Structures are given as C-alpha cells and as structure tokens.
Amino acid sequence: MDYDVAIIGGGPGGSTTGTLLKKYNPDYKVIILEREKFPRDHVGESQLPPISLVLEEMGCWDKVEAADFPIKIGATYRWGKTPELCDFAFVPREEFKNEQRPAKFVGQRTWTAFQVDRAIYDKILLDHAAEMGCEVREETKVNKVLADGDRVDGLELATGEVIKARYYMDCSGHSGILRRAMGVETDSQTSLQNIAIWDYWQNAKWAEEIGVGGTFIQIMALKYGWIWFIPLGPTRTSIGFVTSADYYKKSGMKPEDIYAKALAGEERVAGLIQGAESENKLTTTKDWSFVAKRHFGENWFLVGESAGFADPILSAGLTMAHWAGREVAYTVLELDRGDHDAQWLKAEYETRQARRVENHIRFADYWYTANEQFVDLKDFTAQIAKDNGFDLDPEKAWAWLAQGGFIDEDATLGAAGFGIEQLKGLGTFLSDLKPTHGAAENNVFELDLEGATWKELATYSLGKVIKSTCYVRGKQILPVTGVLDLWVKLLERNSQLSNIIVDLKSVAVRYQGQESFNMRILQLVEDALEGMISDGWVKAHFDPSQPLVKLPCRTNFRTWLETVGNFA
C-alpha cells in the first residue's frame, strides 16, 4: 500500500484526522486529498466551546488564537414567544474578563469559542496537518472510488493516478464521495428542509464588543425565516438567511431578492450593515438534515458532514466534524494496536457520531416549533411538531428533549452542545423549555439504578481508546467517569444534601490547587446532578426539615468552600 490512511477532503474533519494520526503515530503515512486550493470561503463559521479542546490537543489552538478571530461569548436571539432580544451566553457578559490577546487556553477561554473566517481557519488547520507530516495535495479531485464489495481498493484521481491505502476516510462534507460510492443510504429523521443564502460583508458594525475581541453572534427571526450575523474579523462579517424550501419555492423570488428583502426587513441587521459593502459572493445551499445509515465499512469511515448534517441554527457542524475526526483517528490507531475487538471499536465510533447528529436534529426541530414568530412558516413548524408527536407545554418539552439524554457518552452534560445551565436559560425566549425537577430546589437525592445494565463504553484519551463502564437504561447512558463517577460514589454513601456537602468539601480540599480538578470536576458538580435528575438516574425531592445548601456551579472552589463552611 502507498499509504496507511487516505483522507478525502482537507476541511476541519480531514485536518483533525490527519493531525491526530501523525501526533500519536509519526510513522504513519497519511495523505489528504483536497479538490480546492486553500484559502477558500466556506460556510459554517460559528463554533461551540468543545472545539477548543480538540484544537488544543491538535497543537494548533495558539495558531488559531493568533489569527485574531472574534471570541464567541454567546448569541443574541430574537426568537420564540417574544420580539424582545435575549442573550444565550457561554460565559455571562458581566463575568467575561478583559484580557489581552493572543491569550492561552485557560480560564474563561475554555468556556468560550471562536467565530472563524473559514478561508483563514481551514488553511491554518490544513497547513498544520502538513507540518505534522501529512502529505497534502490541493487541487486534487477524486474521480472514482475503486471498490470490491464493502472494501475500498483505491481512489482514482482526475489525473488517472490511483491512491492506495489501508484505510480511507470520507471527510468530503455534503459531497459524500465515499458514502455515495459505497451505496450508503441516509435517513432524514425530520421535516426540516431549509435553504440557506449568504454573502460576506466588509465594514459591518459589530452588535457589541466585549473586552478584547469578545462578541455575540446575532440570530434574528423573521416571520418567514431567520438571519445569522457572524463577525469573522475586524472588518469581515458573514450574513446569511435561512428559510424553508417550500416557502422559497412559493415566493417565486430569486435568491438575491429574497436575501435583500430579509436583510432590509430586520431592523437590527439593517442598522449594522448601514454603510457596509457586500463582497458580491452570494451563495445558496440546501439544508437537508440527515444521518447516514452506516458510518463505516471494511476499511473505510464516514467523518463529519459526509455522515450526517443538522440544521445550522445550533452552530454544531464544525464541532461534530472536529470530534468525529478525533475519534476516527483514535479508532484507526487502536485497530492497528489490536488490543480491542475491531467491530466494537467501529460500532462505538458509529454510535457516537450518529447520536450527536440525531440529538442536534432533534433539538433543532424543537427550536423551530417553539418559535411563534414564524408567522408565514406555521404549516412548516406544525408539521415538525406533528412528526415528533409532542405538545409544547413545559413538562412535555423538557421530557421530550430528555428522551435523547442530557448525558452523552463523553460525559458531556446538556443537549446538542449546550450545557444544563444554558438549557435552563433558554426558557426566557422559548418559554416552554423548563426543567420540572432541579438540583437547586431540592435537598434529598436518591440514586436510582433500577433496571440499568452495564455496558463497555469507549473513552477517548491521549491517542488511546479505553474501555470503561457505564450504566444503560433505555436511551439513557450514565458513564461512571469523571464528575459522574464522583456523584455515584457520593450518592451511594448519602442521600441528604448536607451530608453530601461534607463529603464533597473533603474531596475539594484534597485536590485543592489542581486546576484540572477545579475545571473538569468541581465546576460541573451542579450540572452533573441536574443531568442525572433529568435522565432519571437520581430521584430528587425537598425535605423541609433539612437545610438547602448551594452546590458549586462554575465558581472558584475557595469561594464555594467559604459558603459551606458550616458543614466542615
């Protein structure tokens, strides 16, 4: 074989896969085949915080930070039940500290994200993959996939050259070159069929500037769709409009006309682009959400958007591409080590990737159906609600989302990339999304493992896939690791909050000064308990004879220790 791994596509999924393969096994021969010449524009510029963890592992977070992209602190929405603006923040505006840039991946920067100019961002990542030792070929088109049954035997290029490898990765996005060639079917799982129209603008005003480079993207609902407004740098902004394909067809308007109408019809956006100039790069695409029915074959894998796509309302595309690239790299490394069953490794990869896309589709469905401002799209959103069989009242809405699980295989707490605390805040503009039970309102917590079974779960760390255990009950998963493992141990000892606090304080003191414990464990204590309650692993109630004590919630543990001193 010419190569160990051949990657189709040099976007973030391909760059992540190649970089991490070379990081953990420098002897691998990895080739990345990209049909375009970088830099090139690409939609999907707004990130979620989990991406930064992958960039740090790749060794290129500092390079991305040095590019001076805006820091995404959150989003400002006009959505849901009220025409008023509402902020959705990763870090509350008032808590974001003013610090010089470039900064390091510590403190508040671990909770925030980037808004990236993909022309610059994707080139940084692809160049980094080349520096790590990947062979990168741009302007190289794969014309044909040579296959024998479920096995790929080679990639025939436009030049006639045939690339042969032991493993093949489809990181080609919507093109789905391997997916289509191998006859993989897709499932839409939703009525969402939207189109997106966008352009880039020079010298548009930022809605607000917080500290050095911090801002909120703008998501503004119209009665027939919504607008994204994403600053990509000091002068460049991505502005797009999303509407249902059905509405677009019925309007009879050209893309440029409906785009101009949308921007002029949204007062906030119209004000921000006053005096700005379009780059006249208007582009359209269909936003058909889907999940591939298979994500791997004998020696090939689907990565990122080639395996599934969810509506861009949640800014999830790049996050899923990076994490899929990371996990498929780990999977190949372990396949070669031979320490785990090959089918188990592949199945764990597929399950994770499919579950992420499905959860994002599910959550996006909720967002659309909960938006009463979509006056001209009522039939569209009503059909989504009907297909999912739910009514928008507070208890049912929360329970409907919880069916997908607020705890995923990575012990991530929340849904679709949003933390539990952030989900609670969504009720301020979606109104119906409210938890029926909470950690903050109760003081007796009983661990409930009835009907649960053990499962071996893949944990991805430092280039290795580790078998760890978890509880499984229906669709709900409780990984016994990290902060969740801590809670299982605490609740096996005590159910009363006052006693739990004593144990928790002793743990916090034991690890005092360890930043990783403070960031990864202590600051997630309340979110973890909330997730366990929502997913049914903990029964919570209030005993008036017992005190109600505050749990730590993304705060400095010294401050929290002072507040619980009575229980020392």
Side-chain angles (χ1 to χ4, degrees):
M1 292 295 177
D2 300 325
Y3 299 93
D4 293 295
V5 181
I7 300 170
I8 306 174
S15 296
T16 301
T17 304
T19 293
L20 294 179
L21 284 169
K22 292 296 291 184
K23 173 178 178 175
Y24 293 115
N25 191 337
D27 292 334
Y28 270 0
K29 292 182 66 178
V30 179
I31 186 170
I32 301 176
L33 306 168
E34 169 55 49
R35 69 182 177 186
E36 299 186 51
K37 175 66 177 176
F38 285 12
R40 55 90 179 95
D41 287 319
H42 200 287
V43 75
E45 301 102 344
S46 182
Q47 300 187 349
L48 296 176
I51 286 181
S52 293
L53 292 169
V54 183
L55 294 177
E56 178 75 358
E57 182 179 4
M58 291 168 64
C60 61
W61 192 90
D62 288 341
K63 293 180 180 179
V64 175
E65 167 68 3
D68 201 28
F69 296 125
I71 302 170
K72 180 182 177 183
I73 299 175
T76 298
Y77 287 89
R78 180 176 284 117
W79 198 272
K81 311 285 185 178
T82 171
E84 302 300 319
L85 298 177
C86 180
D87 283 346
F88 177 88
F90 302 130
V91 176
R93 179 189 281 98
E94 63 276 8
E95 294 181 15
F96 187 77
K97 300 174 183 177
N98 191 13
E99 62 181 6
Q100 294 301 309
R101 301 183 68 189
K104 293 296 182 182
F105 183 61
V106 295
Q108 66 184 8
R109 296 304 302 278
T110 63
W111 297 106
T112 58
F114 290 106
Q115 296 162 203
V116 297
D117 187 327
R118 289 288 297 276
I120 301 171
Y121 180 76
D122 289 11
K123 182 169 174 54
I124 290 172
L125 299 188
L126 190 59
D127 288 349
H128 183 73
E131 291 173 15
M132 292 292 292
C134 294
E135 180 181 337
V136 174
R137 295 195 197 178
E138 298 180 72
E139 298 179 291
T140 302
K141 183 180 179 182
V142 175
N143 260 8
K144 186 178 181 180
V145 176
L146 307 177
D148 181 9
D150 198 38
R151 180 178 180 82
V152 176
D153 284 338
L155 304 175
E156 185 177 301
L157 308 183
T159 60
E161 180 185 359
V162 174
I163 299 295
K164 290 184 174 290
R166 295 189 299 116
Y167 300 101
Y168 299 84
M169 307 294 169
D170 187 350
C171 302
S172 63
H174 268 290
S175 298
I177 293 173
L178 268 180
R179 186 189 76 231
R180 298 176 193 275
M182 304 309 289
V184 177
E185 296 180 353
T186 61
D187 185 359
S188 67
Q189 299 190 354
T190 177
S191 299
L192 278 177
Q193 288 194 339
N194 293 337
I195 67 160
I197 309 168
W198 72 95
D199 201 349
Y200 298 95
W201 293 69
Q202 287 291 332
N203 300 316
K205 303 181 187 73
W206 288 18
E208 57 184 314
E209 193 163 352
I210 304 166
V212 178
T215 190
F216 283 66
I217 67 169
Q218 307 295 299
I219 303 293
M220 299 289 116
L222 299 169
K223 66 178 184 177
Y224 51 93
W226 60 274
I227 297 171
W228 78 66
F229 182 97
I230 307 172
L232 306 178
T235 63
R236 199 178 199 217
T237 301
S238 172
I239 307 177
F241 173 64
V242 178
T243 190
S244 74
D246 186 58
Y247 179 85
Y248 170 69
K249 292 175 184 177
K250 290 179 179 178
S251 74
M253 301 176 69
K254 295 179 180 179
E256 57 267 30
D257 295 331
I258 199 170
Y259 180 76
K261 175 188 173 184
L263 269 56
E266 209 300 305
E267 183 178 357
R268 185 173 177 85
V269 172
L272 293 173
I273 63 174
Q274 188 173 6
E277 294 182 0
S278 164
E279 294 185 8
N280 294 317
K281 295 181 178 179
L282 194 76
T283 308
T284 64
T285 189
K286 62 181 184 179
D287 270 343
W288 274 212
S289 297
F290 74 92
V291 184
K293 291 187 177 181
R294 288 203 301 150
H295 296 238
F296 66 88
E298 186 176 336
N299 64 339
W300 55 269
F301 296 85
L302 306 182
V303 182
E305 287 188 8
S306 68
F309 176 79
D311 189 272
I313 185 63
L314 303 176
S315 302
L318 270 179
T319 303
M320 290 191 286
H322 275 291
W323 278 83
R326 175 179 185 263
E327 289 168 2
V328 80
Y330 279 49
T331 300
V332 167
L333 290 161
E334 287 295 352
L335 286 171
D336 281 350
R337 292 185 186 114
D339 294 333
H340 299 301
D341 177 72
Q343 194 64 24
W344 176 80
L345 285 166
K346 293 177 180 180
E348 282 290 291
Y349 169 75
E350 178 176 274
T351 299
R352 286 165 175 271
Q353 188 166 221
R355 180 179 167 96
R356 285 192 190 106
V357 180
E358 289 165 359
N359 280 351
H360 278 85
I361 290 174
R362 187 179 182 85
F363 205 20
D365 280 358
Y366 178 83
W367 277 55
Y368 277 87
T369 55
N371 192 344
E372 291 187 356
Q373 296 187 57
F374 283 170
V375 178
D376 291 350
L377 299 181
K378 280 189 176 180
D379 292 342
F380 169 63
T381 53
Q383 186 61 45
I384 297 173
K386 180 181 178 181
D387 290 347
N388 287 282
F390 69 94
D391 298 314
L392 293 180
D393 67 72
E395 184 173 351
K396 290 181 180 179
W398 186 263
W400 180 73
L401 285 177
Q403 289 172 19
F406 286 115
I407 304 170
D408 70 14
E409 293 92 336
D410 294 310
T412 301
L413 304 161
F418 298 97
I420 292 287
E421 190 163 333
Q422 295 157 3
L423 290 173
K424 293 179 187 176
L426 295 181
T428 58
F429 67 94
L430 293 185
S431 299
D432 295 309
L433 187 58
K434 298 175 183 176
T436 54
H437 300 287
E441 296 82 19
N442 296 288
N443 58 9
V444 178
F445 304 100
E446 298 174 352
L447 189 64
D448 180 10
L449 301 177
E450 185 176 354
T453 58
W454 282 98
K455 177 188 174 183
E456 289 184 318
L457 184 78
T459 302
Y460 299 79
S461 178
L462 300 176
K464 294 183 178 181
V465 180
I466 303 165
K467 279 190 176 182
S468 57
T469 53
C470 68
Y471 289 105
V472 179
R473 184 168 54 202
K475 292 184 178 180
Q476 314 310 121
I477 296 173
L478 179 63
V480 186
T481 183
V483 66
L484 297 170
D485 182 32
L486 174 63
W487 266 117
V488 169
K489 289 181 170 62
L490 291 171
L491 294 174
E492 285 175 339
R493 286 170 51 88
N494 292 293
S495 61
Q496 293 184 352
L497 181 58
S498 57
N499 293 330
I500 293 170
I501 290 292
V502 174
D503 289 344
L504 185 57
K505 180 177 178 179
S506 66
V507 173
V509 171
R510 188 186 317 155
Y511 290 96
Q512 186 170 350
Q514 293 191 19
E515 181 66 17
S516 61
F517 176 82
N518 187 31
M519 293 297 298
R520 307 295 176 207
I521 304 294
L522 192 61
Q523 292 198 15
L524 295 175
V525 161
E526 185 175 19
D527 282 357
L529 181 57
E530 192 74 62
M532 292 173 74
I533 295 170
S534 298
D535 281 1
W537 299 108
V538 172
K539 294 180 179 179
H541 63 271
F542 178 71
D543 182 350
S545 68
Q546 297 294 322
L548 188 63
V549 189
K550 182 176 176 60
L551 288 164
C553 179
R554 291 195 183 183
T555 186
N556 185 286
F557 79 90
R558 290 191 183 89
T559 302
W560 175 75
L561 287 174
E562 292 173 2
T563 66
V564 296
N566 295 337
F567 298 97

